[in-house]
Amino acid sequence: MLGPLANSAALILGGLGGAVLGRRLPRRVRETLPLTFGIIAAAIGTTLMNKVHALPAVALALILGSLAGELAHLERGLEKAIGWAQRQAERLMPGEKGNPRVEGFVGKFVTLLVLFCASGMGIFGATQEGMTGDAHILLAKSILDLFTALIFAAELGPAVALICLPQLLVQGALFLGAGLLVPLATPEMLADFSACGGVIMMATGLRICGIKFFPIVNMLPALFLAMPCSLLWARCFG
C-alpha cells in the first residue's frame, strides 16, 4: 500500500507548505504549473497505452464503459454531489452566508476534495497497485499532488492538507478490493487494463491543459470492463 500512503503524505506536505508560502507564490507559477501537470499525465498515459495486448478488447471496454457512464450521467451526478456538499458546508456556517470569501473557499475546497479523491489517475493507480503491486502511477501522482496542493493551499490555507484523510480511505479501499481480483487475472488481462487506464490518463492530461474537455468520470467504468473484455476476446479469438 505504498502508493496511497505516499500520495497522502505528499498532500499533507503540499498543503502545509502552501499555507506557509501563502501569497508569496507568484501568480504566474499558479497558472502555468497545471499545464505541466497535464502534459505529464498525458505522457504517462501514452507509456501505459504501449502495454496493450489486445487492442480491440481495450477499444470495446472504453466504448462500453463510456456508454455506461454517459447513460448513468456519472459526471453530472458528481457535479450535483459537489453542489450538495457546498450547500451542506454553507449550512454549517450560517453566519457567513452571502460572504463571497467564505462561499468561494467552500466551492474551491469541495472541488479540490473531488479532484484529489476521485480523479481517474488516483482510481486507476490504486487499482493497478492492488492487482500488480506496481505503485509507479500513484508515486507519479504523489509528485503532481504535492505541487497541486502547494498551489491551492497558498490561497486556501492548511485545510487542503486535511483532504489526505478521505483520499487515503478511497485509495485504500480500491487497493484492497483490487487485490481480490489478482487470482482471476492473467498477464494479458493486466496489460489491457493498464492500456485502458493509459487512454483515460491521456484524456485527463488533455483536459487539464484545456485542449479538450473529456468527460473523465463517465469514462471510468471502462476500467472495470477492461479485464472482462480482454478475457472474452482471448477466449473467442485467442
Side-chain angles (χ1 to χ4, degrees):
M1 200 166 159
L2 173 63
L5 293 174
N7 202 177
S8 295
L11 197 50
I12 294 173
L13 291 176
L16 296 179
V20 172
L21 288 176
R23 295 289 182 176
R24 289 189 292 274
L25 192 66
R27 181 176 180 180
R28 63 181 182 276
V29 173
R30 297 198 297 266
E31 292 177 348
T32 57
L33 268 186
L35 297 177
T36 304
F37 301 160
I39 292 297
I40 293 172
I44 295 173
T46 302
T47 302
L48 291 172
M49 288 162 58
N50 289 330
K51 295 183 178 182
V52 65
H53 173 70
L55 185 58
V58 174
L60 180 62
L62 286 166
I63 292 172
L64 294 179
S66 298
L67 178 61
E70 290 289 345
L71 293 176
H73 302 292
L74 293 183
E75 186 123 350
R76 186 184 303 174
L78 186 60
E79 292 172 355
K80 290 181 179 179
I82 293 174
W84 177 85
Q86 290 177 357
R87 290 191 295 272
Q88 299 309 307
E90 290 166 0
R91 287 180 57 189
L92 296 176
M93 298 180 289
E96 300 290 349
K97 189 172 183 180
N99 185 329
R101 183 176 180 181
V102 172
E103 291 184 351
F105 171 85
V106 171
K108 292 177 181 178
F109 185 82
V110 174
T111 301
L112 281 180
L113 184 67
V114 176
L115 172 67
F116 285 120
C117 298
S119 69
M121 192 173 185
I123 291 174
F124 169 64
T127 305
Q128 186 190 49
E129 185 182 357
M131 289 193 293
T132 67
D134 184 359
H136 286 139
I137 299 300
L138 282 186
L139 291 179
K141 182 177 182 293
S142 299
I143 297 174
L144 299 182
D145 284 358
L146 171 65
F147 291 97
T148 302
L150 188 147
I151 290 172
F152 284 101
E155 178 182 0
L156 302 180
V160 172
L162 297 177
I163 300 177
C164 72
L165 297 176
Q167 182 191 63
L168 181 60
L169 181 63
V170 170
Q171 291 183 356
L174 288 170
F175 172 85
L176 296 174
L180 301 176
L181 300 176
V182 173
L184 305 175
T186 64
E188 293 78 13
M189 292 166 62
L190 293 175
D192 289 339
F193 172 79
S194 294
C196 185
V199 174
I200 294 176
M201 285 185 59
M202 169 70 79
T204 301
L206 295 177
R207 177 169 172 168
I208 292 174
C209 292
I211 297 174
K212 182 66 176 179
F213 189 87
F214 286 96
I216 304 300
V217 178
N218 290 342
M219 298 173 68
L220 290 179
L223 289 174
F224 303 98
L225 295 175
M227 290 199 299
C229 287
S230 179
L231 176 62
L232 179 63
W233 185 266
R235 288 187 174 180
C236 293
F237 303 100

